[in-house]
Amino acid sequence: MKAIAIIQARMGASRLPGKVLMPLGESCVLDYVVSRCKAVEGLAAVVVATTRARRDDAVAAWCGENGVEVFRGSEEDVLSRFLEAAEPHAPDYVLRVTADNPFFDYLLASEMLKAALRESADLVAVEKGHPLGLAVELVRYDVLRRIGEIGREPRHREHVTYYAYEFPEQFRIVRIGVPEALRHPELRITVDTEEDYALCREVAAAFSGQKTVPTEEVVRYLLRHPETAAINRHVRQKPVV
């Protein structure tokens, strides 16, 4: 089984523009995400999929300077960007990662690859009950191409796998369990707002130089430091429309 990771990354976020290249620890947010993708067992490649917009020249430049494969495609049609980024690799599965989750659980992602092989899954997701920002998705490449053909609504093009969740009867969706130590949905460990960024900077400082600190340790740290966990507790996630 050949699997690759594709990280969707752009500078034009509405809530926090430029967040993917904001400083974090000794590097930047995107560096944390790339480093954690490289720690996932069984991946053949890691690709950053950004846009052709001029403001994303900075993302492409960072990738060039750091030896990271980059693909540039549509800004609005994220699904087509994923498909075009994956095509040269001809993978069996694509791990979908977003560049605003610098502490996503790469160990859980490794288990997802094993589950895909074991269950012949079309899509592997994580059960609900975890902190926002920890999970990724694994989708079969031919299924992603099929979604690209039939998912025509804006929400399907923007959110890549949304069609599969909207019409689950058409796919074999496998969900893997969340370890007990990660069952804290009250936590936000993502970078979508200034408050989110402040929290992640606190975490990065606590684990200085450890871009691949296990996610369970991050959760334990936040539970031990409720004043840090409270920084972004009031933030609400934007709905899918």
Side-chain angles (χ1 to χ4, degrees), residues 1-33:
M1 181 181 82
K2 182 180 181 181
I4 67 170
I6 296 182
I7 304 167
Q8 60 187 76
R10 66 187 184 96
M11 297 290 281
S14 59
R15 278 178 152 182
L16 192 60
K19 61 184 178 181
V20 300
L21 292 183
M22 284 181 168
L24 189 66
E26 298 171 356
S27 53
C28 66
V29 173
L30 182 56
D31 190 30
Y32 270 70
V33 179

Side-chain angles (χ1 to χ4, degrees), residues 155-217:
R155 62 186 178 277
H156 303 147
R157 311 309 297 185
E158 180 181 356
H159 298 284
V160 182
T161 57
Y162 193 80
Y163 183 92
Y165 296 109
E166 194 168 353
F167 302 98
E169 68 281 358
Q170 299 180 24
F171 305 93
R172 177 167 173 73
I173 300 176
V174 172
R175 294 185 181 273
I176 63 173
V178 179
E180 185 66 34
L182 297 181
R183 293 179 186 171
H184 291 279
E186 72 278 10
L187 299 175
R188 278 181 65 92
I189 313 176
T190 188
V191 181
D192 193 38
T193 67
E194 288 284 0
E195 295 89 342
D196 293 334
Y197 178 51
L199 180 144
C200 286
R201 289 187 67 181
E202 292 274 352
V203 172
F207 297 98
S208 179
Q210 301 179 57
K211 289 181 287 189
T212 56
V213 56
T215 304
E216 287 191 8
E217 290 190 27

Side-chain angles (χ1 to χ4, degrees), residues 198-199 202 221-233:
L199 180 144
E202 292 274 352
Y221 171 80
L222 291 173
L223 295 177
R224 291 196 307 268
H225 297 81
E227 72 284 358
T228 301
I231 291 173
N232 63 354
R233 185 166 295 156

Side-chain angles (χ1 to χ4, degrees), residues 13-162:
S14 59
R15 278 178 152 182
L16 192 60
K19 61 184 178 181
V20 300
L21 292 183
M22 284 181 168
L24 189 66
E26 298 171 356
S27 53
C28 66
V29 173
L30 182 56
D31 190 30
Y32 270 70
V33 179
V34 169
S35 298
R36 294 176 83 84
C37 280
K38 290 180 177 179
V40 176
E41 294 181 7
L43 289 180
V46 176
V47 182
V48 171
T50 192
T51 85
R52 290 185 289 265
R54 181 172 295 180
R55 60 175 168 263
D56 287 324
D57 289 350
V59 175
W62 182 90
C63 290
E65 292 164 3
N66 290 276
V68 178
E69 182 178 347
V70 63
F71 173 83
R72 303 187 73 170
S74 171
E75 183 168 19
E76 292 79 18
D77 192 342
V78 186
L79 177 52
S80 73
R81 196 195 320 162
F82 263 72
L83 289 168
E84 292 167 11
E87 185 177 8
H89 295 273
D92 298 302
Y93 282 91
V94 174
L95 186 72
R96 179 187 176 229
V97 184
T98 54
D100 52 4
N101 292 335
F103 297 103
F104 83 84
D105 196 334
Y106 59 88
L107 295 175
L108 206 55
S110 299
E111 292 302 314
M112 294 172 79
L113 266 67
K114 296 174 185 176
L117 186 60
R118 186 174 62 246
E119 303 285 348
S120 297
D122 291 333
L123 175 69
V124 183
V126 179
E127 290 179 353
K128 294 181 179 180
H130 54 79
L132 182 70
L134 266 60
V136 293
E137 297 172 303
L138 185 68
V139 59
R140 191 187 293 273
Y141 178 51
D142 58 3
V143 168
L144 197 62
R145 286 188 297 178
R146 177 153 56 98
I147 291 174
E149 293 171 358
I150 59 181
R152 308 315 305 174
E153 296 296 327
R155 62 186 178 277
H156 303 147
R157 311 309 297 185
E158 180 181 356
H159 298 284
V160 182
T161 57
Y162 193 80

